[in-house]
Amino acid sequence: MSNEDRNKPKKIGLIATGGTIAGTGRIGETAEYRAGTLPVESIISSIPQIVDLAELKQVNVCSKDSNDISASDIFAIKQAAEKLAKDEEVDGIVITHGTDTMEETAFLLNLILDIDKPIVITGAMRPASATSADGPMNLYQSVALACDSRCAGMGILAVISDTIYSGRDLTKINSIKTDAFEVGDPGPVGYMQDDRAFLIHRPYRRHTIHSRFSKDLEGINKKVEIFYVHEDADPALLEYMLKNYDGVVIAGTGAGNYSTKIQKVIEDYDGPAKIVRSSRLIEGAAFDSKIFDPDRKTIPAHRLSPHKARILLLLGLSQNLKTEELRQLFLEY
């Protein structure tokens, strides 16, 4: 937290959803465990110094492995977070979450939360029962960051392994290491040293109170899936998706590329489903392409990953946005 915040008593809302941070297995081991089995109180009790940072106001939304988190769970998190934020005594909010789908939840919350107070999401790569569990330190530093008034208006931030990430750009890149996340070209928002935050830059894409989805979204009522491009990918599967879903995100090779067979399916399609072209690569972007999409049948995802492009398309379709409006969406968010 910043120097100006240190002497002020703080109150932080803590929203628990389960995940590895609340997981248990054989004592000392990291590989075999079940997520979301411990109450978050047991983790807090292992960090006695956390009471020196803030009083915690706890809300339990669910206790799940993050692979089981649903859209209804995320809207429950939104409701809980916005209720906490309306309390004038609450200075910031921390959300505990499993790491497998944390980047998806962080991105969706970044788009739908009507909050400008500091809000931080965190989790762990090792269960609470492991030797040198990383959850307690991540939680401690997340509470410290949520106490920092400089983080107001920055949207969802994530704290993992002493690093502060933007919720928009957060990407899990490793299934083993505690330092399992990256953000690619934009770089981290900052770093933590114990309870001190060293901030580098502010996220600039539309989010939270500046997002069109934070106030005018009544719910998600559309279906969007991802078509993964690989050598000899079956065009019949893409045809099926276009017939059965409201939108399809193509996880293309390179800059959102695909075979001539896939291209023919896209060029022949004239139905209502919207198609977004993204890249399956961690770095780079998908732009308009005169070679792979000369008729502009698709919408480029730019730097958004396929699973984040799916979320943004889902929200746009749920507000019945037209193709050109969707194009603009991917430029602004």
Side-chain angles (χ1 to χ4, degrees):
M1 77 180 65
S2 66
N3 289 331
E4 66 182 45
D5 291 318
R6 283 182 179 277
N7 297 321
K8 298 177 184 178
K10 295 285 182 176
K11 180 180 284 188
I12 297 299
L14 178 60
I15 299 174
T17 69
T20 297
I21 193 171
T24 55
R26 291 185 62 181
I27 299 300
E29 295 186 359
T30 63
E32 299 295 332
Y33 62 90
R34 188 169 295 278
T37 55
L38 281 179
V40 75
E41 292 92 342
S42 65
I43 305 162
I44 295 170
S45 66
S46 70
I47 324 167
Q49 65 272 34
I50 206 167
V51 298
D52 297 328
L53 296 178
E55 175 189 347
L56 300 181
K57 185 175 182 179
Q58 186 181 327
V59 178
N60 294 309
V61 168
C62 60
S63 187
K64 293 183 175 182
D65 184 302
S66 68
N67 292 290
D68 292 319
I69 293 287
S70 65
S72 61
D73 293 323
I74 295 174
F75 275 88
I77 296 170
K78 170 181 166 68
Q79 184 179 33
E82 290 176 354
K83 183 177 180 181
L84 285 167
K86 287 178 181 178
D87 184 341
E88 293 183 358
E89 294 184 353
V90 171
D91 299 284
I93 297 165
V94 172
I95 301 166
T96 60
H97 194 283
T99 59
D100 277 354
T101 64
M102 181 186 291
E103 62 196 272
E104 294 173 66
T105 294
F107 183 63
L108 180 50
L109 288 175
N110 205 43
L111 296 172
I112 66 174
L113 280 177
D114 191 17
I115 293 174
D116 63 353
K117 290 182 177 181
I119 181 160
V120 183
I121 191 168
T122 193
M125 290 296 293
R126 294 172 178 167
S129 54
T131 301
S132 300
D134 54 325
M137 188 60 166
N138 288 342
L139 181 57
Y140 177 76
Q141 291 183 332
S142 295
V143 170
L145 188 64
C147 290
D148 196 322
S149 59
R150 294 176 299 167
C151 295
M154 293 180 73
I156 289 277
L157 298 176
V159 171
I160 299 286
S161 192
D162 302 315
T163 310
I164 307 167
Y165 301 104
S166 160
R168 178 190 184 273
D169 300 313
L170 185 70
T171 303
K172 187 173 182 178
I173 63 166
N174 195 288
S175 63
I176 299 172
K177 298 194 303 182
T178 55
D179 185 13
F181 286 82
E182 257 297 347
V183 290
D185 296 335
V189 172
Y191 299 94
M192 297 295 299
Q193 184 184 53
D194 297 326
D195 64 346
R196 299 174 66 91
F198 295 87
L199 301 175
I200 299 171
H201 63 81
R202 298 177 67 89
Y204 71 92
R205 294 285 184 143
R206 287 186 181 274
H207 59 72
T208 53
I209 62 171
H210 305 293
S211 168
R212 66 176 295 148
F213 305 111
S214 63
K215 298 178 178 66
D216 299 325
L217 184 70
E218 296 181 0
I220 293 176
N221 54 16
K222 303 294 183 180
K223 297 191 299 180
V224 175
E225 275 300 337
I226 299 170
F227 177 78
Y228 194 90
V229 176
H230 53 85
E231 287 186 350
D232 207 25
D234 187 356
L237 179 57
L238 178 57
E239 291 175 339
Y240 172 86
M241 288 182 169
L242 291 171
K243 288 178 182 177
N244 289 277
Y245 296 96
D246 302 294
V248 176
V249 174
I250 296 178
T253 60
N257 306 333
Y258 32 71
S259 69
T260 53
K261 291 181 181 179
I262 298 301
Q263 184 171 347
K264 187 177 187 306
V265 172
I266 294 170
E267 291 180 348
D268 290 347
Y269 181 72
D270 59 0
K274 304 302 181 185
I275 307 172
V276 169
R277 274 177 51 251
S278 68
S279 174
R280 68 186 196 182
L281 305 181
I282 295 176
E283 299 287 349
F287 300 108
D288 278 318
S289 171
K290 293 180 180 179
I291 302 299
F292 288 93
D293 186 23
D295 300 325
R296 298 186 85 213
K297 288 286 192 80
T298 69
I299 299 163
H302 300 281
R303 285 203 75 258
L304 288 182
S305 64
H307 38 293
K308 290 181 182 178
R310 174 188 168 272
I311 289 168
L312 188 55
L313 181 58
L314 198 56
L315 293 178
L317 291 176
S318 293
Q319 287 193 340
N320 299 311
L321 299 186
K322 306 301 182 185
T323 300
E324 289 308 311
E325 292 175 305
L326 292 169
R327 286 183 178 276
Q328 190 62 31
L329 205 64
F330 279 88
L331 287 170
E332 294 181 6
Y333 292 81

